Amino acid sequence: MGKSSSISGFYKLSPKQRLQAVKEFADLTDEECALLQSAGSLPLDLADRMIENVVGTIPVPLGIGMNFLINNRDYLIPMAIEEPSVVAAASYAAKMVRDGGGFHTSSTPPIMVGQIQVVGVKDPYAAKMRVIQAKEEVLKKANEQDPVLVSAGGGAIDLDAKVINTTQGPMLIAELHVDCRDAMGPNAVNTMAEAISPIIQRVAGGRVYLRIISNLATKRLVRAWCVVSKEAVGGEKVVDGIVNAYAFAAADPYRAATHNKGILNGIIAVIIATCNDHRAVEAGAHAYAVRNGHYGALSTWEKNKNGDLVGSIELPMAVGLIGGAVRTHPIAKIAVKILGVKTANEFGEVLAAMGLAQNLGALRALASEGIQRGHMSLHAKNIAVAAGATGELIDIVAEKMVQERKIRMDRAKELIEQYRKSRKV
Ligand code: MEV
């Protein structure tokens, strides 16, 4: 039997004790553990090779999403995020889902699309036909650019074209479909798009301008669904509250943006922990949310015939396990090891489950006691620190502010002052 991601009392342990449990779960080495808890885990010379104009690095907390059972397998999910309550909400929701059999997931093959823009084509509709007809030559040229991807079972697999009407008149857009396997894809796709553009320009006429991957990755979708018993979620009223919350988001873009923000709270935290490109995933998610002509919810929540809650989610997921910083950032490498995912597809499916869990955690709180109670204790600690509290004073000031329901900087400063004066006498 595999190891369980449901470790009783995990949240009550110290960071050192928690890491010990994660070490056992993921077979981390002593060096990996030391690196995870050292302050300067991204060496400056490595940072300097990652981006331009480097002057330092900025650490964020790394927590673990617990209790995730996905397709009958246990996962501990590393999450890098500055916002309190996100890790707790995901873990709590995953526990409810676990008791109902866990998450079920699936995904399409990892296909990304590269777009080639052709302007000034005299006969764009006929040019579209000519481009599609040139598919064999185009795919051959594209695949010559990346023999490694081809030998891994991926590569350019299809070519399509469309005519769009723009403020500059009709344009022909050729679209190259590339199976990216375990890479996120931009390097492979953009290189291929640039390499095939002379062929596209020759057969279409006109002039090629942009050659770039699309982040609306509708051919690289991940899906997850789950059933949560009405008892686990807090009764039939809470089930109804969550279903109504979904209906609200489905009908109103102002709510949908916040609903989807909650989903992305979980997904992006994991993407940052693994040093994937969160902007690409966010852009794809929001563009996908508007695919039906209006901005809507990325997840759905329904009540089944037993009165239990059923959730599902589908969204594009351009993530990779090779290329980019995933294999160079020391903490990202450990995060992937903790996750234990073997393919980008498996990784994407875990992210879909995380998004659904995060959404459930938020909606359950919103549909019952409200979101603030859970938020307050950590929020109060942050305010206490910002007001200048250190050591034991952080907890003293935070607890007092929660008790008084006055979680404000001015109150924190007063309490610190009072405490310091009382210590002097
Ligand atoms: C806060 O970061 C996220 C929520 O606003 C999500 C939601 O409203 O569904 C709680």
Side-chain angles (χ1 to χ4, degrees):
M1 218 180 75
K3 297 169 191 162
S4 174
S5 64
S6 191
I7 302 172
S8 157
F10 186 80
Y11 72 99
K12 291 189 205 142
L13 302 176
S14 69
K16 273 215 154 29
Q17 291 167 321
R18 290 191 201 116
L19 184 57
Q20 186 57 36
V22 174
K23 180 183 188 211
E24 279 159 29
F25 181 94
D27 295 326
L28 299 184
T29 64
D30 290 341
E31 290 74 34
E32 286 166 336
C33 289
L35 201 58
L36 270 175
Q37 295 199 336
S38 74
S41 42
L42 178 61
L44 205 55
D45 60 337
L46 188 54
D48 197 31
R49 275 183 266 123
M50 285 171 77
I51 64 162
E52 308 76 33
N53 298 353
V54 166
V55 294
T57 57
I58 173 167
V60 288
L62 182 74
I64 301 287
M66 304 297 292
N67 305 319
F68 278 83
L69 184 67
I70 305 172
N71 303 328
N72 280 326
R73 199 188 134 183
D74 272 279
Y75 292 86
L76 291 184
I77 308 187
M79 304 171 76
I81 188 160
E82 88 300 342
E83 184 176 333
S85 300
V86 170
V87 176
S91 304
Y92 181 69
K95 176 93 176 64
M96 290 191 278
V97 174
R98 179 184 193 87
D99 295 341
F103 296 93
H104 312 277
T105 66
S106 65
S107 51
T108 64
I111 294 165
M112 300 295 291
V113 171
Q115 296 189 299
I116 295 118
Q117 176 200 30
V118 200
V119 306
V121 182
K122 294 282 174 249
D123 55 350
Y125 290 95
K128 169 180 162 175
M129 302 299 147
R130 294 195 296 274
V131 165
I132 292 172
Q133 240 174 320
K135 177 166 135 179
E136 209 175 306
E137 182 189 357
V138 168
L139 294 190
K140 183 169 173 290
K141 183 75 181 172
N143 282 327
E144 279 166 13
Q145 311 309 310
D146 202 333
V148 176
L149 181 60
V150 173
S151 70
I157 55 164
D158 205 359
L159 178 71
D160 205 352
K162 64 188 181 192
V163 179
I164 58 168
N165 286 313
T166 78
T167 51
Q168 294 287 87
M171 282 179 197
L172 177 72
I173 310 296
E175 293 187 333
L176 183 70
H177 300 188
V178 183
D179 183 328
C180 296
R181 294 288 94 198
D182 289 328
M184 188 214 148
N187 282 334
V189 174
N190 296 341
T191 305
M192 288 180 180
E194 288 183 9
I196 65 170
S197 62
I199 307 176
I200 304 287
Q201 184 165 296
R202 191 191 77 223
V203 296
R207 184 173 197 270
V208 165
Y209 278 98
L210 269 57
R211 300 148 296 167
I212 188 75
I213 196 167
S214 168
N215 289 124
L216 178 50
T218 55
K219 297 193 176 299
R220 194 175 197 176
L221 297 175
V222 292
R223 306 181 179 102
W225 65 276
C226 63
V227 180
V228 193
S229 74
K230 52 181 175 297
E231 292 79 23
V233 90
E236 200 141 3
K237 277 214 174 72
V238 183
V239 173
D240 289 340
I242 292 173
V243 174
N244 279 320
Y246 157 65
F248 180 10
D252 176 25
Y254 286 85
R255 174 57 206 156
T258 321
H259 180 103
N260 292 341
K261 191 268 185 184
I263 291 171
L264 290 168
N265 269 348
I267 293 175
I268 298 304
V270 188
I271 292 192
I272 292 177
T274 57
C275 256
N276 264 265
D277 180 347
H278 60 90
R279 286 84 54 206
V281 172
E282 275 157 349
H286 292 300
Y288 197 64
V290 81
R291 68 194 177 285
N292 296 326
H294 71 276
Y295 186 88
L298 287 165
S299 64
T300 59
W301 292 98
E302 312 163 279
K303 186 157 85 164
N304 70 12
K305 62 180 186 321
N306 301 324
D308 295 329
L309 184 66
V310 188
S312 58
I313 189 168
E314 179 185 86
L315 76 166
M317 194 57 75
V319 288
L321 293 176
I322 53 175
V326 190
R327 287 264 176 101
T328 51
H329 193 295
I331 301 297
K333 284 194 279 188
I334 302 174
V336 171
K337 185 169 173 186
I338 295 171
L339 265 172
V341 291
K342 296 286 176 282
T343 64
N345 271 60
E346 183 188 359
F347 182 27
E349 292 180 27
V350 168
L351 290 165
M354 168 57 80
L356 196 57
Q358 197 66 56
N359 188 216
L360 172 60
L363 297 189
R364 192 210 59 81
L366 288 168
S368 49
E369 78 267 9
I371 210 82
Q372 285 310 83
R373 202 171 77 190
H375 244 76
M376 278 313 151
S377 141
L378 277 174
H379 176 56
K381 284 187 194 175
N382 282 331
I383 298 280
V385 171
T390 51
E392 59 166 16
L393 190 52
I394 299 171
D395 286 334
I396 295 171
V397 171
E399 269 165 39
K400 185 80 179 143
M401 288 195 297
V402 171
Q403 256 173 30
E404 297 176 345
R405 294 179 169 265
K406 277 192 206 157
I407 301 167
R408 297 192 317 253
M409 185 69 92
D410 58 329
R411 184 62 186 141
K413 284 187 174 154
E414 272 170 25
L415 289 168
I416 293 169
E417 197 50 34
Q418 276 172 20
Y419 178 85
R420 292 198 172 132
K421 273 189 188 144
S422 72
R423 281 288 153 124
K424 275 191 196 139
V425 283

